[in-house]
């Protein structure tokens, strides 16, 4: 089982960026945690980060035939991108949305998530461990589909 963990804009600045919302651990810390969780789940996970909306769309499309599932934090594009929603709907790959903070308790404009409608689940407000919960949710979902 292979999953993609996709991250949108500014998540490369974890550890530096607004620590009151995103904590003090770095993007490298996050990818290390994900690698460890993948190993204990007996799956493989590939992490990618980009600041570009179209690149996220390309990666979601390319996941067809290569990834069994997607964990995605679209960051600010959560609240703006119909293109990313459409890409997830188009490829029909089980996808879990994750946010480090809880956007629903922050600014009004963060309360809309376009991608949520295409996801099998959402994990938010749980810090970096939220990614690991999203991976477990995805694995459990994929397990029920294959058994
Ligand atoms: C975020 C929440 C978004 O509102 C914000 O634009 C981000 C990060 C989160 O992980 O909490 O960049 O997706």
């Amino acid at each position: 089982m292979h999953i993609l963990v996709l991250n949108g804009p500014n998540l490369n600045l974890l550890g530096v960026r607004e620590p009151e919302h995103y904590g003090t651990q770095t993007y490298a810390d996050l990818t290390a945690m994900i690698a460890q969780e993948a190993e204990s789940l007996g799956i493989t996970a590939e992490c990618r980060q980009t600041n570009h909306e179209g690149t996220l769309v390309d990666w979601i499309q390319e996941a067809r035939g290569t990834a069994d599932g997607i964990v995605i934090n679209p960051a600010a594009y959560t609240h703006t991108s119909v293109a990313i929603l459409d890409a997830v709907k188009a490829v029909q790959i089980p996808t879990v949305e994750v946010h480090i903070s809880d956007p629903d308790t922050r600014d009004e404009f963060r309360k809309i998530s376009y991608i949520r409608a295409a996801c099998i689940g959402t994990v938010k407000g749980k810090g970096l461990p939220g990614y690991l919960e999203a991976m477990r949710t995805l694995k459990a979902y994929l397990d029920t589909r294959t058994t």
Side-chain angles (χ1 to χ4, degrees):
M1 190 180 290
H2 180 65
I3 66 166
L4 274 183
V5 182
L6 303 181
N7 283 287
N10 302 305
L11 290 167
N12 53 317
L13 296 181
L14 282 179
V16 175
R17 171 190 188 207
E18 300 180 90
E20 66 281 14
H21 289 303
Y22 306 117
T24 53
Q25 288 183 289
T26 65
Y27 183 71
D29 293 331
L30 174 64
T31 58
M33 287 165 63
I34 288 168
Q36 200 173 18
E37 185 71 16
E39 199 180 331
S40 71
L41 289 172
I43 64 172
T44 54
E46 181 185 350
C47 295
R48 297 186 192 169
Q49 187 278 329
T50 177
N51 293 328
H52 304 283
E53 181 179 15
T55 303
L56 285 170
V57 171
D58 288 343
W59 286 344
I60 292 164
Q61 289 189 9
E62 286 163 17
R64 280 177 75 222
T66 60
D68 300 296
I70 297 172
V71 168
I72 185 168
N73 183 347
Y77 293 135
T78 308
H79 318 301
T80 62
S81 181
V82 177
I84 293 172
L85 165 68
D86 285 349
V88 173
K89 279 187 169 172
V91 298
Q92 294 186 299
I93 297 171
T95 297
V96 178
E97 172 194 22
V98 62
H99 299 285
I100 299 164
S101 68
D102 182 353
D104 294 326
T105 62
R106 296 176 60 192
D107 318 270
E108 268 313 298
F109 61 82
R110 292 183 204 276
K111 290 184 179 159
I112 288 179
S113 167
Y114 285 99
I115 196 173
R116 195 158 300 169
C119 291
I120 61 157
T122 296
V123 181
K124 57 190 176 74
K126 297 191 172 170
L128 300 192
Y131 284 80
L132 312 184
E133 183 178 325
M135 291 168 70
R136 291 191 293 271
T137 299
L138 194 53
K139 165 88 165 48
Y141 179 86
L142 292 168
D143 280 346
T144 61
R145 287 209 331 180
T146 51
T147 52

